[in-house]
C-alpha cells in the first residue's frame, strides 16, 4: 500500500474536524485577527475604493472564519478548499447564522485542489481567470504550513492567479527557533509599514512569559502531526525569497501578531504570525 500523501492526511483531518473546532481556545481570535490583517494590508497597498471593488480568492477557505472580514470588505470572494467537509461547514454557517446573512451573496465556494496545472475548475476558471483576467487579491491564512511544496504554491498563487497589479497576501506561522531578538522591531521589504509589533525570544520551554513551549505541532505522544508539513513554521527571509522568485514585486513583511495557542493535547505554545505580501507587476 502506498504511503499517504500530505494532501491525503490533510483531507482526512479537515473532513472530519470536530463540530466544536471553532470553540477551541484561540481559534476565533487568530482567525478574525488574520482576516482583519488581510483587509488592512490590501487597503494600505491600494485604496479604500479598490478594496470595495476587489474580487478576492481565499486559498484554503476552510469554514470561512478568517475569510469573513475579507468577504465583508470586498465586492466578492471566491473560497476554494480541497476538503469538502470544511466547505460543508461553511455552507451550514452561511445558511443558519443570521449575522452572516449579508455575506451569502458575496461568497462563492469551490471544492478543488489548486495546482499549477489546474488552477480552478469550470465555470470559475473562465469567469475569473479568462474573462476577469485574474484576482485583485489572493490571500491565505494558516494554510501554507500544511503544504509540502510551499514555494511551488507561492509561485502558483502569485504567478498564475493574480491579475496585473494584484496582491498576494499570506499570513502564517514564523519560525523563530534559535533567535534571541527579544522585543526589537522587525520590518522587511520596500516601502514597509511599521506596525510597532515585537519579536519574542523563543527558546525551548520559554515564551514571552516564560511559560510557553516553542512552536511545534505534536500529538499527545510527542509525535509530529501528520497533517502538518512545516512543524516549526517558516523563516521569514526564505518566504520573502519565494515571493520574489514567483515574480512578485514590492515584497514586504511584518509581524502581524503573536498569541498563546493551546494544542488539543493541552500544551501551551506561543505562535508568532507573520504577514508577507507582494504585487504582480
Amino acid at each position: 500500500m502506498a504511503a499517504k500523501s500530505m494532501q491525503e492526511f490533510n483531507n482526512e483531518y479537515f473532513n472530519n474536524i470536530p463540530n466544536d473546532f471553532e470553540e477551541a481556545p484561540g481559534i476565533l481570535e487568530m482567525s478574525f485577527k488574520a482576516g482583519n490583517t488581510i483587509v488592512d494590508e490590501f487597503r494600505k497597498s491600494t485604496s479604500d475604493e479598490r478594496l470595495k471593488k476587489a474580487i478576492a480568492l481565499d486559498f484554503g477557505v476552510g469554514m470561512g472564519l478568517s475569510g469573513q472580514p475579507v468577504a465583508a470588505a470586498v465586492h466578492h470572494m471566491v473560497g476554494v478548499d480541497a476538503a469538502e467537509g470544511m466547505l460543508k461547514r461553511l455552507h451550514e454557517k452561511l445558511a443558519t447564522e443570521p449575522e452572516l446573512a449579508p455575506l451569502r451573496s458575496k461568497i462563492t465556494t469551490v471544492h478543488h485542489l489548486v495546482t499549477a496545472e489546474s488552477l480552478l475548475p469550470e465555470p470559475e476558471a473562465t469567469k475569473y481567470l479568462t474573462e476577469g483576467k485574474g484576482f485583485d487579491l489572493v490571500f491565505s491564512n494558516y494554510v501554507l504550513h500544511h503544504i509540502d511544496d510551499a514555494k511551488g504554491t507561492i509561485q502558483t498563487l502569485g504567478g498564475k492567479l493574480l491579475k496585473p497589479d494584484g496582491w498576494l497576501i499570506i499570513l502564517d506561522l514564523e519560525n523563530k527557533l534559535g533567535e534571541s531578538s527579544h522585543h526589537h522591531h522587525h520590518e522587511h521589504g520596500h516601502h514597509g509599514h511599521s506596525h510597532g509589533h515585537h519579536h519574542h525570544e523563543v527558546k525551548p520551554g520559554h515564551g514571552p512569559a516564560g511559560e510557553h513551549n516553542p512552536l511545534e505541532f505534536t500529538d499527545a505522544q510527542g509525535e509530529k502531526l501528520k497533517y502538518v508539513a512545516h512543524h516549526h513554521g517558516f523563516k521569514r527571509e526564505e518566504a520573502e525569497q519565494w515571493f520574489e522568485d514567483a515574480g512578485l514585486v514590492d515584497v514586504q513583511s511584518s509581524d502581524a501578531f503573536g498569541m498563546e495557542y493551546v494544542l488539543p493535547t493541552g500544551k501551551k505554545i506561543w505562535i508568532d504570525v507573520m504577514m508577507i505580501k507582494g504585487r504582480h507587476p
Side-chain angles (χ1 to χ4, degrees):
M1 180 181 293
K4 285 185 181 179
S5 67
M6 180 60 64
Q7 187 60 52
E8 288 172 323
F9 279 122
N10 272 287
N11 286 348
E12 185 178 86
Y13 173 74
F14 287 109
N15 279 327
N16 296 285
I17 207 158
N19 286 330
D20 61 353
F21 169 76
E22 62 192 88
E23 298 173 14
I27 292 296
L28 289 179
E29 179 186 357
M30 66 188 293
S31 296
F32 291 130
K33 278 186 174 181
N36 287 320
T37 299
I38 297 293
V39 172
D40 291 343
E41 291 295 337
F42 184 73
R43 180 190 288 116
K44 284 191 294 189
S45 293
T46 58
S47 66
D48 284 326
E49 189 65 22
R50 185 162 175 207
L51 174 65
K52 294 174 184 176
K53 294 180 178 179
I55 307 296
L57 175 76
D58 185 347
F59 173 71
V61 64
M63 63 179 70
L65 298 178
S66 66
Q68 290 175 26
V70 183
V74 301
H75 178 69
H76 197 77
M77 187 183 88
V78 176
V80 62
D81 206 293
E84 194 170 14
M86 296 295 272
L87 293 177
K88 180 181 178 182
R89 295 280 293 281
L90 173 53
H91 295 158
E92 291 171 351
K93 290 173 68 64
L94 287 172
T96 60
E97 297 183 14
E99 63 271 23
L100 297 183
L103 301 184
R104 290 170 189 163
S105 63
K106 298 186 71 175
I107 297 177
T108 296
T109 60
V110 181
H111 177 223
H112 185 66
L113 177 63
V114 175
T115 66
E117 296 74 29
S118 177
L119 298 171
L120 288 174
E122 294 295 350
E124 289 80 17
T126 296
K127 180 177 181 179
Y128 295 106
L129 301 179
T130 303
E131 296 173 354
K133 306 300 182 187
F135 292 91
D136 299 287
L137 166 65
V138 174
F139 71 97
S140 186
N141 294 320
Y142 315 122
V143 175
L144 207 60
H145 67 273
H146 290 281
I147 300 174
D148 273 323
D149 185 12
K151 178 180 180 178
T153 297
I154 294 296
Q155 291 177 327
T156 299
L157 298 180
K160 296 178 179 289
L161 287 166
L162 287 173
K163 63 173 56 172
D165 206 34
W167 284 84
L168 173 64
I169 308 178
I170 299 286
L171 264 71
D172 216 301
L173 310 177
E174 185 170 3
N175 180 353
K176 294 187 176 180
L177 287 174
E179 295 185 12
S180 57
S181 50
H182 192 56
H183 289 278
H184 77 276
H185 292 278
H186 198 71
E187 186 72 42
H188 289 177
H190 307 289
H191 314 297
H193 307 275
S194 178
H195 295 187
H197 296 293
H198 301 102
H199 271 201
H200 298 279
E201 185 171 9
V202 181
K203 296 180 180 179
H206 293 76
E211 59 183 18
H212 301 90
N213 293 280
L215 173 61
E216 184 173 29
F217 291 96
T218 56
D219 61 19
Q221 288 73 46
E223 297 293 325
K224 291 182 177 179
L225 298 179
K226 294 180 179 179
Y227 55 87
V228 176
H230 304 271
H231 289 85
H232 300 290
F234 301 95
K235 289 293 186 181
R236 192 188 302 191
E237 292 80 3
E238 183 178 30
E240 287 175 339
Q241 188 62 53
W242 295 342
F243 271 60
E244 293 174 359
D245 290 345
L248 301 179
V249 298
D250 299 331
V251 175
Q252 50 196 273
S253 68
S254 65
D255 292 311
F257 57 89
M259 61 177 283
E260 177 184 279
Y261 184 72
V262 183
L263 293 174
T265 59
K267 183 170 74 171
K268 292 180 181 179
I269 61 174
W270 183 265
I271 59 172
D272 284 290
V273 179
M274 65 179 180
M275 183 288 304
I276 304 182
K277 62 181 175 180
R279 180 176 62 86
H280 191 298

